[in-house]
Amino acid sequence: MADTTARSEGAARALDAAAVNRALRRLGAAPAAPWLHGEVARRMAERLAIVKLQPQAVLDWSSFLGAGAAWLDAAYPAARRIVVEPTPALRERAAGAGRPRWWQLGRRAPQVFEAEAVPAGSVQLVWANMALHATLDPPAVLAQWQRALAVGGFVMFSCFGPDTARELRALYHRLGWAPPGAPFVDMHDLGDMALHAGFADPVMDQEQIVLNWPDATALVAELRGLGGNVAPGRLAGLRTPRWRARLLHELQALAGADGRPHMSFEIVYGHAFKAAPRMPVQAETIVPLDEMRAAMRRRR
């Protein structure tokens, strides 16, 4: 889950903000981030090797639920880590509030900020694992990342794509039930949003991860551990034991020959750089020599 940032003009996401906040409180109180978030963090960390830039400061966006702190510390042991968390409780947790002093020995305490308070141009890497899909306004969040980055810095992020839990969506549709979750943003649309936010040459790709469980009960527990249904059009009211039994029966029907039900998750990855601002071009443009020299040095 991610922050419920206010929508910017033209944003098209439809999420129930109250439901997102409830899920954040529940997941933020868990002993650890969801297993799938940690697995995606591992896969995303492998991609850091393609970038030669060694950041002096890293912005770890939605750090606890993103489960990437250990990978970032391993990749950039000398970098200062800045953390943005979406709720006060998670910010306190990130700062080590309530931890005994011995627990913090040998650990680098991150700087913890609210999203709007991160100094402009203060980091060379924005890392946001499995957060953007639960954001009310992705363009606004991308703009925050672009503002936080120094020129030449880069962003790496991951999130769920539209094919996530397609088996569950098909099941709900067949039974005539309201949608089991809000739709996720297509990777091509996310790339367009990144361009609009001012990023240069965003690279987007995706992969499918298929998980299976010993039974439908374990599958439902895993899905709840990933956040829950935050679609405004979800079925209102509490579910009955009879409804849950029907759901478990139908999910068990997804089992393969080994008797284990399965579910597909589309993971979208994004990567982009912050380029130097372009000089405005007019019919007649006068550029001071000092500015031109500075621009050439930045390009080098």
Side-chain angles (χ1 to χ4, degrees):
M1 285 302 192
D3 198 357
T4 56
T5 309
R7 295 173 184 235
S8 62
E9 185 177 354
R13 295 231 58 198
L15 301 180
D16 184 330
V20 172
N21 284 327
R22 285 195 299 271
L24 278 171
R25 288 194 297 270
R26 175 168 52 81
L27 297 183
W35 175 87
L36 184 57
H37 288 202
E39 173 60 19
V40 176
R42 182 190 67 79
R43 297 183 184 208
M44 195 161 80
E46 293 177 347
R47 298 164 178 251
L48 290 172
I50 67 174
V51 181
K52 300 306 179 185
L53 175 68
Q54 291 291 309
Q56 298 175 345
V58 173
L59 174 54
D60 188 2
W61 190 274
S62 193
S63 177
F64 172 68
L65 293 176
W71 298 108
L72 291 172
D73 286 346
Y76 307 115
R80 176 168 53 93
R81 192 162 61 91
I82 295 174
V83 163
V84 164
E85 294 287 12
T87 69
L90 282 171
R91 285 193 288 274
E92 290 183 7
R93 185 171 185 164
R99 299 284 190 180
R101 188 174 180 181
W102 62 261
W103 183 89
Q104 301 183 45
L105 294 177
R107 298 173 183 264
R108 291 186 300 153
Q111 293 178 280
V112 184
F113 288 95
E114 295 187 35
E116 297 78 8
V118 178
S122 60
V123 303
Q124 291 76 40
L125 165 61
V126 172
W127 165 283
N129 181 48
M130 299 298 281
L132 198 58
H133 57 253
T135 300
L136 292 177
D137 190 352
V141 172
L142 285 161
Q144 288 176 322
W145 296 348
Q146 207 269 355
R147 175 183 172 276
L149 277 172
V151 172
F154 65 104
V155 60
M156 294 191 76
F157 67 88
S158 61
C159 58
F160 284 133
D163 271 351
T164 295
R166 62 176 182 267
E167 299 90 348
L168 186 66
R169 295 177 188 277
L171 187 155
Y172 271 55
H173 179 74
R174 175 170 57 81
L175 297 176
W177 294 347
F184 298 115
V185 182
D186 180 83
M187 71 174 182
H188 302 292
D189 292 332
L190 288 172
D192 290 343
M193 292 176 191
L195 280 173
H196 191 265
F199 286 103
D201 301 324
V203 176
M204 307 294 302
D205 68 310
Q206 62 83 32
E207 66 174 334
Q208 293 283 337
I209 298 177
V210 179
L211 302 182
N212 59 73
W213 296 265
D215 53 42
T217 300
L219 187 162
V220 170
E222 179 98 27
L223 292 178
R224 179 168 173 76
L226 291 171
N229 190 348
V230 297
R234 66 189 183 279
L235 189 63
L238 298 175
R239 307 287 82 77
T240 65
R242 183 177 179 180
W243 182 91
R244 178 180 171 82
R246 175 77 184 280
L247 173 64
L248 294 176
H249 173 77
E250 295 289 346
L251 287 173
Q252 191 62 44
L254 298 177
D258 58 0
R260 300 172 65 92
H262 64 275
M263 192 73 64
S264 303
F265 296 87
E266 180 186 4
I267 310 299
V268 172
Y269 299 94
H271 169 255
F273 283 89
K274 179 175 180 175
R278 294 184 178 181
M279 297 178 182
V281 178
Q282 302 173 359
E284 181 179 351
T285 302
I286 299 175
V287 180
L289 183 58
D290 289 344
E291 290 187 17
M292 185 176 294
R293 286 172 175 166
M296 292 297 293
R297 284 196 295 270
R298 286 196 298 268
R299 287 182 179 275
R300 291 182 187 139

